[in-house]
Amino acid sequence: MKALILVGGFGTRLRPLTLSVPKPLVDFANKPMILHQIEALKAIGVNEVVLAINYQPEVMLNFLKEFEAKLGIKITCSQETEPLGTAGPLALARDKLVDASGEPFFVLNSDVISEYPLKEMIAFHKSHGGEASIMVTKVDEPSKYGVVVMNETTGQVEKFVEKPKLFVGNKINAGIYLLNPSVLDRIELRPTSIEKEVFPNIAAAKKLYAMVLPGFWMDIGQPRDYISGLTLYLDSLRKNSPSKLASGPHIVGNVIVHETANIGEGCLIGPDVAIGPGCVIESGVRLSRCTVMRGVRIKKHSCISSSIIGWHSTVGQWARVENMTILGEDVHVCDEVYSNGGVVLPHKEIKSNILKPEIVM
């Protein structure tokens, strides 16, 4: 089986992290976002992954080469010279996706994190005999999204309603699809949307089916959702593989700590924290709802909450970093500095307080 991951563009919503690496390579729970997907695909027997990409393909491929060997899966790129939306890339990668087997292929949106019940999806797809299957997830505020209106018993999709004013349902497209090769005959090689053009056509032909995603779902393409996604992901680890979580007198709730990280005396860490490789957390530090990426040093008695600390940054003694502060790569926050929602570009030194959310160039 094959899969296409829609990698797309510049990742502007996750800047300043995406100023250092393409968005799919930004770490989430101690491994690059896209690796969560590739590992899940490999686990159910996908042997070739195509990345649809229009930005920095060399960086992506060089990075993924080591995983190709490690996971034993072929990873190739299909590069757009102009942005082709969410359906155009499928037409562009047609030759890579279709072979004599006629097997269906997966399409995933690279920002989506979930438990990836792909095996169940294959069974669902075979059972309904339609042309395409999509995953849908239930949300509390459907008015922010495109809602999928479907037959609850058969899963057949009736129509899509974009940002409904009146309640039509609470299920939205979760960005995970399983498509027969015939779907490619419906897509022209031009900028086009799979959600707004292709799927409504298949639904009109009564050949589109939706499966409700079990477990959690989050689009982690922007900072606030990234932190919420981490909470959901760690919660899912607690249920499915609790041995991966850290434990000890200094740990509260769900926390993952890389084996090469070093944690000092008298810290209080958690809930919902990820500490990456080679990090040094000095004594008396308090961390909650945050990600601390590879090679970061957090000095004594500092306090970090609801924030993302980018690679190789340092946070000084008695500093306080909170309220969706995002430090890009190699940022240095001096001792006793306070950051309230500062978004700091790479290679900066912060000597004075950031009192309200702002971007520090």
Side-chain angles (χ1 to χ4, degrees), residues 79-93:
Q79 193 189 356
E80 306 161 39
T81 46
E82 57 164 341
L84 290 172
T86 51
L90 277 73
L92 186 65

Side-chain angles (χ1 to χ4, degrees), residues 281-340:
I281 312 294
E282 294 184 5
S283 59
V285 166
R286 176 75 181 102
L287 303 178
S288 65
R289 273 183 71 84
C290 65
T291 285
V292 180
M293 294 184 182
R294 182 183 61 250
V296 163
R297 185 177 205 100
I298 310 287
K299 296 189 177 171
K300 293 173 186 168
H301 308 295
S302 55
C303 177
I304 299 173
S305 65
S306 302
S307 296
I308 301 173
I309 310 300
W311 311 271
H312 306 288
S313 292
T314 42
V315 174
Q317 300 185 27
W318 297 101
R320 186 177 185 96
V321 172
E322 61 187 27
N323 190 21
M324 295 315 307
T325 290
I326 305 172
L327 306 184
E329 181 181 19
D330 179 44
V331 166
H332 302 280
V333 174
C334 294
D335 293 353
E336 298 179 32
V337 163
Y338 170 59
S339 169
N340 172 22

